[in-house]
Amino acid sequence: SEAARTGPAAARNRALAAANGAWIAIVDNDDFIAPHRLAHLIDAAERDGADIAADDLHIFYEDHATPAHRHLQGPLAQAPRWISALDYAASNVMFANDAGLGYLKPVFRREGPYGAPRYDETLRIGEDHNLIQRMLIAGARMRIYPEPLYHYRKHAASISHRLGTPAIEAMLAAHAGLNAGDDAQLKRALGRQRRALERAHAYARLIDALKARDAAAAFKAVAARPSAVTLLSQPIAARMRRLTRG
């Protein structure tokens, strides 16, 4: 497929260049949406003056071993609400236990206060989150309408097979381009994001070293970021550890 050859960000940019509608919706090829989803979100966004509109995810598992569930939790799942650049940044911290807003699949205006949005083609993971974060920093208004109208298929190891050292290095480089300006709270939230990415990078290097049976490289990765070792208790880490024994 086109996305497999060039990455999802490049494929989506080509779609954005060809689009001529007022609103853009991204639906991954193994997911599906409720028939009235787009009309519902766009009508609500037009009514409220939002540039970005997101619904909740109905997450279901390919192996059917885990019960389906909604993604949003607490107040976010209860009523429509506005999401600021700070809200979005604070919710998207790698390996945190919160329901990150970066997983949502919002619709957005093809043009707005952020110009004509384009994905960062250096990213093979996290491209949606990066785009929405940049749009919010540039002045976009985002609103969540928490009906679970997007059906998100979750695969076994769907993240672990992509979340390697090069992918995280690209995420770190893209993150460096986020400019919080004079917003001290947003700077702190972005700093927390970056520290989590750096921890994940050390963890990915540790996994690479374990797979290569390279004790010196493993020690170096742990020495650079000792907290990376704690990620070995994460479920995703358990799957990656099995890879090191393969």
Side-chain angles (χ1 to χ4, degrees):
S1 69
E2 187 71 12
R5 291 195 301 272
T6 63
R12 289 175 187 182
N13 278 344
R14 276 187 278 282
L16 285 172
N20 55 23
W23 288 87
I24 301 295
I26 303 295
V27 180
D28 288 339
N29 62 5
D30 51 357
D31 300 335
F32 64 96
I33 63 175
H36 65 291
R37 175 183 186 257
L38 297 182
H40 173 74
L41 286 178
I42 292 170
D43 288 349
E46 293 278 13
R47 180 191 67 228
D48 295 340
D51 303 300
I52 305 168
D55 49 359
D56 198 356
L57 302 177
H58 169 256
I59 299 174
F60 65 102
Y61 293 78
E62 188 175 50
D63 61 6
H64 306 293
T66 304
H69 59 89
R70 293 175 60 167
H71 178 67
L72 295 176
Q73 303 169 8
L76 284 171
Q78 295 170 8
R81 63 184 294 157
W82 292 102
I83 300 296
S84 68
L86 173 60
D87 295 330
Y88 197 77
S91 82
N92 292 304
V93 178
M94 186 170 285
F95 293 119
N97 293 323
D98 300 334
L101 297 177
Y103 286 99
L104 301 181
K105 298 290 186 179
V107 301
F108 54 87
R109 295 184 192 269
R110 186 165 58 89
E111 294 184 359
Y114 39 80
R118 291 295 181 269
Y119 287 87
D120 185 333
E121 296 187 14
T122 67
L123 295 172
R124 293 299 181 108
I125 186 171
E127 68 281 349
D128 294 314
H129 157 238
N130 174 265
L131 176 72
I132 300 300
Q133 185 73 76
R134 287 188 282 114
M135 291 167 68
L136 289 169
I137 289 173
R141 303 180 76 223
M142 180 176 181
R143 192 159 172 81
I144 287 180
Y145 305 92
E147 295 88 345
L149 304 179
Y150 189 103
H151 300 272
Y152 179 91
R153 187 189 309 269
K154 201 158 188 178
H155 304 276
S158 58
I159 294 176
S160 64
H161 78 281
R162 293 181 294 150
L163 193 57
T165 304
I168 298 174
E169 288 172 350
M171 293 171 75
L172 280 165
H175 191 274
L178 298 175
N179 184 2
D182 296 326
D183 189 329
Q185 287 185 302
L186 181 56
K187 283 182 181 178
R188 285 194 291 272
L190 292 176
R192 184 174 175 232
Q193 277 188 347
R194 183 164 193 89
R195 290 190 296 274
L197 281 170
E198 289 169 347
R199 182 180 176 219
H201 183 239
Y203 168 69
R205 289 171 55 209
L206 173 59
I207 292 297
D208 289 343
L210 291 174
K211 290 174 69 174
R213 309 301 201 269
D214 187 336
F219 178 80
K220 186 175 180 180
V222 172
R225 183 74 57 169
S227 63
V229 175
T230 64
L231 294 177
L232 292 173
S233 65
Q234 296 276 351
I236 188 173
R239 293 195 295 269
M240 294 183 79
R241 283 201 304 275
R242 287 198 292 271
L243 292 178
T244 69
R245 298 195 293 266

PDB file of all heavy atoms in Angstrom, residues 77-98:
ATOM      1  N   ALA A  77     -15.291  11.968  29.309  1.00  0.00           N
ATOM      2  CA  ALA A  77     -16.245  11.025  28.724  1.00  0.00           C
ATOM      3  C   ALA A  77     -17.695  11.415  28.992  1.00  0.00           C
ATOM      4  O   ALA A  77     -18.606  10.738  28.514  1.00  0.00           O
ATOM      5  CB  ALA A  77     -15.985   9.624  29.274  1.00  0.00           C
ATOM      6  N   GLN A  78     -17.915  12.500  29.731  1.00  0.00           N
ATOM      7  CA  GLN A  78     -19.260  12.789  30.218  1.00  0.00           C
ATOM      8  C   GLN A  78     -19.996  13.884  29.463  1.00  0.00           C
ATOM      9  O   GLN A  78     -21.224  13.837  29.357  1.00  0.00           O
ATOM     10  CB  GLN A  78     -19.190  13.141  31.711  1.00  0.00           C
ATOM     11  CG  GLN A  78     -18.729  11.970  32.562  1.00  0.00           C
ATOM     12  CD  GLN A  78     -18.421  12.378  33.991  1.00  0.00           C
ATOM     13  OE1 GLN A  78     -18.680  13.513  34.399  1.00  0.00           O
ATOM     14  NE2 GLN A  78     -17.848  11.455  34.761  1.00  0.00           N
ATOM     15  N   ALA A  79     -19.275  14.865  28.937  1.00  0.00           N
ATOM     16  CA  ALA A  79     -19.947  15.989  28.287  1.00  0.00           C
ATOM     17  C   ALA A  79     -18.974  16.676  27.344  1.00  0.00           C
ATOM     18  O   ALA A  79     -17.747  16.578  27.528  1.00  0.00           O
ATOM     19  CB  ALA A  79     -20.447  16.992  29.337  1.00  0.00           C
ATOM     20  N   PRO A  80     -19.483  17.386  26.334  1.00  0.00           N
ATOM     21  CA  PRO A  80     -18.590  18.123  25.434  1.00  0.00           C
ATOM     22  C   PRO A  80     -17.739  19.126  26.208  1.00  0.00           C
ATOM     23  O   PRO A  80     -18.193  19.711  27.201  1.00  0.00           O
ATOM     24  CB  PRO A  80     -19.553  18.837  24.482  1.00  0.00           C
ATOM     25  CG  PRO A  80     -20.790  17.990  24.488  1.00  0.00           C
ATOM     26  CD  PRO A  80     -20.897  17.491  25.903  1.00  0.00           C
ATOM     27  N   ARG A  81     -16.513  19.325  25.742  1.00  0.00           N
ATOM     28  CA  ARG A  81     -15.646  20.303  26.398  1.00  0.00           C
ATOM     29  C   ARG A  81     -14.560  20.761  25.447  1.00  0.00           C
ATOM     30  O   ARG A  81     -14.188  20.059  24.500  1.00  0.00           O
ATOM     31  CB  ARG A  81     -15.030  19.735  27.675  1.00  0.00           C
ATOM     32  CG  ARG A  81     -14.122  18.543  27.480  1.00  0.00           C
ATOM     33  CD  ARG A  81     -13.652  18.008  28.826  1.00  0.00           C
ATOM     34  NE  ARG A  81     -12.796  18.945  29.524  1.00  0.00           N
ATOM     35  CZ  ARG A  81     -12.599  18.944  30.838  1.00  0.00           C
ATOM     36  NH1 ARG A  81     -13.242  18.061  31.595  1.00  0.00           N
ATOM     37  NH2 ARG A  81     -11.792  19.802  31.391  1.00  0.00           N
ATOM     38  N   TRP A  82     -14.073  21.963  25.699  1.00  0.00           N
ATOM     39  CA  TRP A  82     -12.983  22.524  24.911  1.00  0.00           C
ATOM     40  C   TRP A  82     -11.653  21.948  25.380  1.00  0.00           C
ATOM     41  O   TRP A  82     -11.479  21.654  26.570  1.00  0.00           O
ATOM     42  CB  TRP A  82     -12.958  24.041  25.039  1.00  0.00           C
ATOM     43  CG  TRP A  82     -14.124  24.712  24.398  1.00  0.00           C
ATOM     44  CD1 TRP A  82     -15.235  25.211  25.024  1.00  0.00           C
ATOM     45  CD2 TRP A  82     -14.320  24.941  23.006  1.00  0.00           C
ATOM     46  NE1 TRP A  82     -16.109  25.733  24.111  1.00  0.00           N
ATOM     47  CE2 TRP A  82     -15.575  25.592  22.854  1.00  0.00           C
ATOM     48  CE3 TRP A  82     -13.564  24.659  21.859  1.00  0.00           C
ATOM     49  CZ2 TRP A  82     -16.079  25.961  21.616  1.00  0.00           C
ATOM     50  CZ3 TRP A  82     -14.066  25.034  20.627  1.00  0.00           C
ATOM     51  CH2 TRP A  82     -15.306  25.671  20.503  1.00  0.00           C
ATOM     52  N   ILE A  83     -10.728  21.798  24.448  1.00  0.00           N
ATOM     53  CA  ILE A  83      -9.394  21.269  24.742  1.00  0.00           C
ATOM     54  C   ILE A  83      -8.362  22.299  24.278  1.00  0.00           C
ATOM     55  O   ILE A  83      -8.305  22.650  23.095  1.00  0.00           O
ATOM     56  CB  ILE A  83      -9.154  19.927  24.019  1.00  0.00           C
ATOM     57  CG1 ILE A  83     -10.179  18.885  24.464  1.00  0.00           C
ATOM     58  CG2 ILE A  83      -7.728  19.435  24.254  1.00  0.00           C
ATOM     59  CD1 ILE A  83     -10.114  18.505  25.929  1.00  0.00           C
ATOM     60  N   SER A  84      -7.557  22.773  25.206  1.00  0.00           N
ATOM     61  CA  SER A  84      -6.515  23.751  24.876  1.00  0.00           C
ATOM     62  C   SER A  84      -5.233  23.038  24.477  1.00  0.00           C
ATOM     63  O   SER A  84      -5.082  21.815  24.645  1.00  0.00           O
ATOM     64  CB  SER A  84      -6.254  24.640  26.085  1.00  0.00           C
ATOM     65  OG  SER A  84      -5.653  23.879  27.139  1.00  0.00           O
ATOM     66  N   ALA A  85      -4.273  23.821  23.997  1.00  0.00           N
ATOM     67  CA  ALA A  85      -2.954  23.259  23.687  1.00  0.00           C
ATOM     68  C   ALA A  85      -2.331  22.642  24.932  1.00  0.00           C
ATOM     69  O   ALA A  85      -1.684  21.594  24.869  1.00  0.00           O
ATOM     70  CB  ALA A  85      -2.043  24.349  23.111  1.00  0.00           C
ATOM     71  N   LEU A  86      -2.551  23.283  26.087  1.00  0.00           N
ATOM     72  CA  LEU A  86      -2.036  22.743  27.350  1.00  0.00           C
ATOM     73  C   LEU A  86      -2.727  21.440  27.717  1.00  0.00           C
ATOM     74  O   LEU A  86      -2.067  20.464  28.099  1.00  0.00           O
ATOM     75  CB  LEU A  86      -2.229  23.774  28.467  1.00  0.00           C
ATOM     76  CG  LEU A  86      -1.895  23.299  29.885  1.00  0.00           C
ATOM     77  CD1 LEU A  86      -0.443  22.857  29.992  1.00  0.00           C
ATOM     78  CD2 LEU A  86      -2.205  24.402  30.903  1.00  0.00           C
ATOM     79  N   ASP A  87      -4.057  21.399  27.607  1.00  0.00           N
ATOM     80  CA  ASP A  87      -4.788  20.163  27.903  1.00  0.00           C
ATOM     81  C   ASP A  87      -4.258  19.012  27.056  1.00  0.00           C
ATOM     82  O   ASP A  87      -4.055  17.895  27.548  1.00  0.00           O
ATOM     83  CB  ASP A  87      -6.286  20.335  27.599  1.00  0.00           C
ATOM     84  CG  ASP A  87      -6.971  21.355  28.480  1.00  0.00           C
ATOM     85  OD1 ASP A  87      -6.544  21.528  29.632  1.00  0.00           O
ATOM     86  OD2 ASP A  87      -7.929  21.984  27.997  1.00  0.00           O
ATOM     87  N   TYR A  88      -4.069  19.299  25.785  1.00  0.00           N
ATOM     88  CA  TYR A  88      -3.648  18.248  24.853  1.00  0.00           C
ATOM     89  C   TYR A  88      -2.244  17.760  25.186  1.00  0.00           C
ATOM     90  O   TYR A  88      -1.990  16.549  25.228  1.00  0.00           O
ATOM     91  CB  TYR A  88      -3.701  18.797  23.424  1.00  0.00           C
ATOM     92  CG  TYR A  88      -3.699  17.740  22.351  1.00  0.00           C
ATOM     93  CD1 TYR A  88      -4.840  17.008  22.059  1.00  0.00           C
ATOM     94  CD2 TYR A  88      -2.546  17.474  21.609  1.00  0.00           C
ATOM     95  CE1 TYR A  88      -4.847  16.036  21.068  1.00  0.00           C
ATOM     96  CE2 TYR A  88      -2.535  16.511  20.620  1.00  0.00           C
ATOM     97  CZ  TYR A  88      -3.691  15.795  20.352  1.00  0.00           C
ATOM     98  OH  TYR A  88      -3.687  14.838  19.378  1.00  0.00           O
ATOM     99  N   ALA A  89      -1.335  18.694  25.445  1.00  0.00           N
ATOM    100  CA  ALA A  89       0.041  18.313  25.773  1.00  0.00           C
ATOM    101  C   ALA A  89       0.101  17.527  27.076  1.00  0.00           C
ATOM    102  O   ALA A  89       0.815  16.526  27.182  1.00  0.00           O
ATOM    103  CB  ALA A  89       0.922  19.551  25.861  1.00  0.00           C
ATOM    104  N   ALA A  90      -0.657  17.974  28.074  1.00  0.00           N
ATOM    105  CA  ALA A  90      -0.607  17.318  29.385  1.00  0.00           C
ATOM    106  C   ALA A  90      -1.144  15.896  29.327  1.00  0.00           C
ATOM    107  O   ALA A  90      -0.760  15.051  30.138  1.00  0.00           O
ATOM    108  CB  ALA A  90      -1.389  18.136  30.401  1.00  0.00           C
ATOM    109  N   SER A  91      -2.018  15.609  28.368  1.00  0.00           N
ATOM    110  CA  SER A  91      -2.633  14.283  28.305  1.00  0.00           C
ATOM    111  C   SER A  91      -1.812  13.280  27.512  1.00  0.00           C
ATOM    112  O   SER A  91      -2.098  12.085  27.552  1.00  0.00           O
ATOM    113  CB  SER A  91      -4.022  14.373  27.670  1.00  0.00           C
ATOM    114  OG  SER A  91      -3.941  14.400  26.261  1.00  0.00           O
ATOM    115  N   ASN A  92      -0.810  13.748  26.786  1.00  0.00           N
ATOM    116  CA  ASN A  92      -0.068  12.880  25.862  1.00  0.00           C
ATOM    117  C   ASN A  92       1.370  12.698  26.335  1.00  0.00           C
ATOM    118  O   ASN A  92       2.283  13.378  25.857  1.00  0.00           O
ATOM    119  CB  ASN A  92      -0.087  13.464  24.445  1.00  0.00           C
ATOM    120  CG  ASN A  92      -1.471  13.434  23.838  1.00  0.00           C
ATOM    121  OD1 ASN A  92      -2.095  12.377  23.746  1.00  0.00           O
ATOM    122  ND2 ASN A  92      -1.976  14.587  23.449  1.00  0.00           N
ATOM    123  N   VAL A  93       1.537  11.821  27.305  1.00  0.00           N
ATOM    124  CA  VAL A  93       2.860  11.511  27.847  1.00  0.00           C
ATOM    125  C   VAL A  93       3.100  10.018  27.668  1.00  0.00           C
ATOM    126  O   VAL A  93       2.316   9.199  28.163  1.00  0.00           O
ATOM    127  CB  VAL A  93       2.956  11.906  29.335  1.00  0.00           C
ATOM    128  CG1 VAL A  93       4.317  11.527  29.902  1.00  0.00           C
ATOM    129  CG2 VAL A  93       2.689  13.405  29.502  1.00  0.00           C
ATOM    130  N   MET A  94       4.132   9.674  26.939  1.00  0.00           N
ATOM    131  CA  MET A  94       4.365   8.270  26.602  1.00  0.00           C
ATOM    132  C   MET A  94       4.509   7.401  27.847  1.00  0.00           C
ATOM    133  O   MET A  94       5.214   7.750  28.784  1.00  0.00           O
ATOM    134  CB  MET A  94       5.611   8.149  25.728  1.00  0.00           C
ATOM    135  CG  MET A  94       5.853   6.749  25.199  1.00  0.00           C
ATOM    136  SD  MET A  94       7.167   6.702  23.944  1.00  0.00           S
ATOM    137  CE  MET A  94       6.304   7.398  22.548  1.00  0.00           C
ATOM    138  N   PHE A  95       3.811   6.264  27.834  1.00  0.00           N
ATOM    139  CA  PHE A  95       3.804   5.274  28.905  1.00  0.00           C
ATOM    140  C   PHE A  95       3.091   5.740  30.171  1.00  0.00           C
ATOM    141  O   PHE A  95       3.158   5.073  31.195  1.00  0.00           O
ATOM    142  CB  PHE A  95       5.223   4.801  29.252  1.00  0.00           C
ATOM    143  CG  PHE A  95       5.875   4.014  28.155  1.00  0.00           C
ATOM    144  CD1 PHE A  95       7.052   4.468  27.567  1.00  0.00           C
ATOM    145  CD2 PHE A  95       5.322   2.840  27.686  1.00  0.00           C
ATOM    146  CE1 PHE A  95       7.653   3.747  26.548  1.00  0.00           C
ATOM    147  CE2 PHE A  95       5.921   2.124  26.675  1.00  0.00           C
ATOM    148  CZ  PHE A  95       7.095   2.572  26.099  1.00  0.00           C
ATOM    149  N   ALA A  96       2.404   6.907  30.112  1.00  0.00           N
ATOM    150  CA  ALA A  96       1.581   7.313  31.246  1.00  0.00           C
ATOM    151  C   ALA A  96       0.303   6.484  31.244  1.00  0.00           C
ATOM    152  O   ALA A  96      -0.054   5.854  30.250  1.00  0.00           O
ATOM    153  CB  ALA A  96       1.252   8.797  31.159  1.00  0.00           C
ATOM    154  N   ASN A  97      -0.401   6.507  32.362  1.00  0.00           N
ATOM    155  CA  ASN A  97      -1.613   5.693  32.484  1.00  0.00           C
ATOM    156  C   ASN A  97      -2.868   6.436  32.044  1.00  0.00           C
ATOM    157  O   ASN A  97      -3.952   5.860  32.024  1.00  0.00           O
ATOM    158  CB  ASN A  97      -1.777   5.221  33.933  1.00  0.00           C
ATOM    159  CG  ASN A  97      -0.690   4.242  34.341  1.00  0.00           C
ATOM    160  OD1 ASN A  97      -0.267   3.419  33.543  1.00  0.00           O
ATOM    161  ND2 ASN A  97      -0.232   4.345  35.581  1.00  0.00           N
ATOM    162  N   ASP A  98      -2.735   7.722  31.712  1.00  0.00           N
ATOM    163  CA  ASP A  98      -3.903   8.503  31.320  1.00  0.00           C
ATOM    164  C   ASP A  98      -4.376   8.104  29.923  1.00  0.00           C
ATOM    165  O   ASP A  98      -3.619   7.555  29.116  1.00  0.00           O
ATOM    166  CB  ASP A  98      -3.559   9.998  31.325  1.00  0.00           C
ATOM    167  CG  ASP A  98      -3.122  10.476  32.701  1.00  0.00           C
ATOM    168  OD1 ASP A  98      -3.542   9.858  33.689  1.00  0.00           O
ATOM    169  OD2 ASP A  98      -2.358  11.456  32.772  1.00  0.00           O
TER     170      ASP A  98
END
